[in-house]
Amino acid sequence: MDVQVVVAGGGPVGLWLAAELRRAGVTVAVVETRTARDPRSRALTLHPRTLETFASRGVHRPFLDEGIPIPGGHFGVLESRLDFHRLPSPFPYTLALPQERTEALLEGQALELGATVLRGHEVTGLTDGPDSVGVRIQAPGGPSTLEAAYLVGCDGARSTVRAAAGIDCPGTPSTVLGWLGDVVLDEPPPPGYSHFGPTGTLMAVPLPGGTHRLVGITPRDLTTTWPGDLTLDELRENVIAVAGTDFGMRDPVWLSRYGNATRLAARYRKGRVFLAGDAAHQHFPAGGVGMNVGIQDAANLAWKLAARLNGWASEALLDTYHAERHPVGADLTETSRAQVALMTAFTPQGISLRGLFSRLIRTLPGLNDLLAAQVASLSVAYPPTRPGAHPLTGTRAPDLAIDDTGLFALLRADSHLLLDLTGSRPFGRPARPGLRVRTGTVRRAPADWSGVRAALVRPDGHIAWVGTDSDDTALADDLAAALALTHPG
């Protein structure tokens, strides 16, 4: 099999990576140990930035059609929920959709685009060479080896790829056990239900198909001892202890418990091997952000691999994956630990601390907006590669109205988009591969876009360069210098 990239792991992160690579013309094989999707998958929430990423490829509608919109989120299950309505996004909400359906939709896209998905195959090792990586695979018919230019480990917290590459993953062990149950509720609570008190914390989320997910922690779950598999009787006991009722629970679809072990890979790249998603960062699933951050890992990496393989970027571009995404993973693990501290603050002092934070969120709109944008991944900004860059450089580009078209609809996986807002067209036709020009006018430009005459938007929707110079020649020269890394020559 002739492939340029092997992706280990057929979850949402690996499937989105594969689809993005195919959109850019890169051949890819996904190696997945499961023979079928797991209906008990943990991830449930799609955040605004993930929906924006899907919209930038025109594939968001099926997710919106199937998911249940929830107009906010939470930070540490505080009483004051985060209001997402204020977010500057066309998707100011979270979307509840079981991971099994997310995977099914993403796998359908990847297959339709020409990706190879090898189910029932397992990556067992690798040989990283100067010109290729040999991926050892245990297939149903016996062992084999795939040669590829690059290997990406999207194979979860116990990543075989990470171990085989010799990448350290330091962190802290589990000290808290959370539990969840997907069950039918005859007397369900209202949407957005959450409760916290000395007896524990509990959230209820409606799922498509008439079930609900109940998740929580009780004081006895602050332990390092594994008590065994969760049972329906224990779930009922926990829920009654916290809420005073079991909401008429019955017919469990999935019961599980999980710990708060928190680890971050020391390196996201080693030679021709990369890590993304849970293989790179492991944490307590506070706020349902893990899968979403992993999909953003994939969005960041895919266009860089494609740019290198398609010959219009330097090898140095691939090093920016670690430089940009590792700090995001560090922030994710730190924020997760902070939320666990709030979720388990069952003492009188802890409850007072939670009350203070809730009042601050309720009375300070700026704090709500800051935390909401962080949870939704809208606030992620990458450091500029050149000194003196415009403040917008590295930030996520909003869905600007460019004449009669939204910016998201103009983005593509295989090229940067140069927005020429000058009216004088100093850039002419793009002379480099992987670069497109769109001339137009921004309608209802945000305040921070005042004075912007041109902007270069990466395939992942982040801004690579902003030009404000009033002299057309100087503007074109500045753009040429900014393109040195991604479009050399």
Side-chain angles (χ1 to χ4, degrees):
M1 183 184 301
D2 184 19
V3 295
Q4 294 169 290
V5 178
V6 173
V7 176
V13 176
L15 291 170
W16 182 253
L17 176 64
E20 284 288 271
L21 290 170
R22 286 302 304 138
R23 291 184 181 102
V26 174
T27 56
V28 57
V30 179
V31 181
E32 170 54 53
T33 58
R34 297 171 298 170
T35 58
R37 285 183 293 276
D38 186 349
R40 305 170 301 167
S41 301
R42 179 182 299 175
L44 174 64
T45 307
L46 295 173
H47 282 293
R49 184 55 186 156
T50 300
L51 296 175
E52 289 186 352
T53 299
F54 293 167
S56 72
R57 304 296 181 255
V59 299
H60 58 297
R61 181 52 55 185
F63 298 91
L64 301 183
D65 290 343
E66 292 194 32
I68 298 175
I70 300 174
H74 75 87
F75 189 88
V77 200
L78 292 173
E79 180 182 353
S80 297
R81 289 181 61 82
L82 301 177
D83 182 5
F84 279 19
H85 284 121
R86 295 165 54 91
L87 291 175
S89 172
F91 310 104
Y93 47 80
T94 60
L95 201 67
L97 185 67
Q99 183 177 329
E100 189 275 337
R101 287 304 304 149
T102 297
E103 284 188 14
L105 292 169
L106 293 179
E107 184 172 1
Q109 294 175 26
L111 291 172
E112 185 177 354
L113 289 163
T116 299
V117 178
L118 301 173
R119 287 196 171 273
H121 291 61
E122 181 180 3
V123 172
T124 58
L126 62 91
T127 303
D128 190 10
D131 301 313
S132 66
V133 56
V135 185
R136 296 192 292 277
I137 295 172
Q138 182 62 45
S144 63
T145 299
L146 274 178
E147 292 288 334
Y150 300 102
L151 167 65
V152 185
C154 304
D155 51 345
R158 297 180 178 86
S159 172
T160 297
V161 171
R162 187 183 65 226
I167 298 175
D168 192 21
C169 195
T172 53
S174 178
T175 57
V176 174
L177 296 176
W179 39 260
L180 69 81
D182 290 351
V183 294
V184 174
L185 299 181
D186 290 331
E187 301 172 3
Y193 173 88
S194 66
H195 181 81
F196 181 93
T199 57
T201 180
L202 175 68
M203 291 184 293
V205 182
L207 304 179
T211 60
H212 279 71
R213 173 163 293 181
L214 300 173
V215 295
I217 307 169
T218 66
R220 69 182 181 189
D221 296 316
L222 277 62
T223 178
T224 58
T225 302
W226 184 259
D229 294 339
L230 183 72
T231 66
L232 181 61
D233 287 341
E234 184 184 352
L235 176 66
R236 178 176 287 110
E237 178 185 348
N238 289 344
V239 172
I240 292 175
V242 178
T245 175
D246 70 351
F247 304 110
M249 73 170 65
R250 58 181 172 85
D251 300 338
V253 177
W254 183 35
L255 301 172
S256 180
R257 66 172 102 240
Y258 46 89
N260 69 323
T262 305
R263 295 183 172 86
L264 179 66
R267 305 165 65 179
Y268 279 24
R269 179 192 186 187
K270 185 176 181 182
R272 294 183 171 272
V273 179
F274 298 82
L275 302 176
D278 290 349
H281 37 76
Q282 178 187 358
H283 57 94
F284 193 80
V289 299
M291 176 181 68
N292 296 272
V293 174
I295 288 173
Q296 295 308 309
D297 290 342
N300 184 290
L301 178 59
W303 74 265
K304 294 173 180 178
L305 288 174
R308 180 59 181 153
L309 288 167
N310 289 332
W312 54 266
S314 67
E315 182 70 18
L317 178 64
L318 297 180
D319 289 330
T320 67
Y321 173 62
H322 172 89
E324 292 183 346
R325 295 305 298 175
H326 190 269
V328 176
D331 182 71
L332 169 67
T333 53
E334 179 182 11
T335 302
S336 172
R337 288 189 180 106
Q339 291 196 67
V340 169
L342 287 171
M343 285 187 233
T344 58
F346 300 124
T347 66
Q349 295 84 355
I351 292 173
S352 294
L353 178 65
R354 287 177 54 86
L356 171 62
F357 270 92
S358 288
R359 289 193 298 274
L360 291 174
I361 291 174
R362 186 170 59 251
T363 58
L364 298 175
L367 179 58
N368 173 90
D369 295 351
L370 178 67
L371 291 175
Q374 182 182 37
V375 168
S377 293
L378 298 181
S379 61
V380 171
Y382 302 134
T385 58
R386 302 169 65 220
H390 190 278
L392 287 174
T393 306
T395 65
R396 148 201 163 270
D399 194 21
L400 300 171
I402 312 297
D403 297 327
D404 297 325
T405 305
L407 175 61
F408 293 165
L410 298 174
L411 299 179
R412 284 178 22 187
D414 62 352
S415 57
H416 281 57
L417 176 68
L418 175 59
L419 294 177
D420 182 357
L421 311 176
T422 65
S424 54
R425 302 188 178 184
F427 306 109
R429 293 181 177 274
R432 306 169 191 246
L435 179 64
R436 294 175 296 120
V437 176
R438 171 63 184 249
T439 302
T441 302
V442 177
R443 296 189 289 111
R444 301 183 302 277
D448 52 359
W449 279 71
S450 176
V452 173
R453 299 188 71 225
L456 185 67
V457 185
R458 306 181 341 179
D460 62 359
H462 282 259
I463 299 171
W465 168 83
V466 174
T468 58
D469 202 300
S470 59
D471 180 84
D472 284 355
T473 300
L475 194 69
D477 289 346
D478 192 43
L479 171 64
L483 290 169
L485 177 64
T486 55
H487 299 73

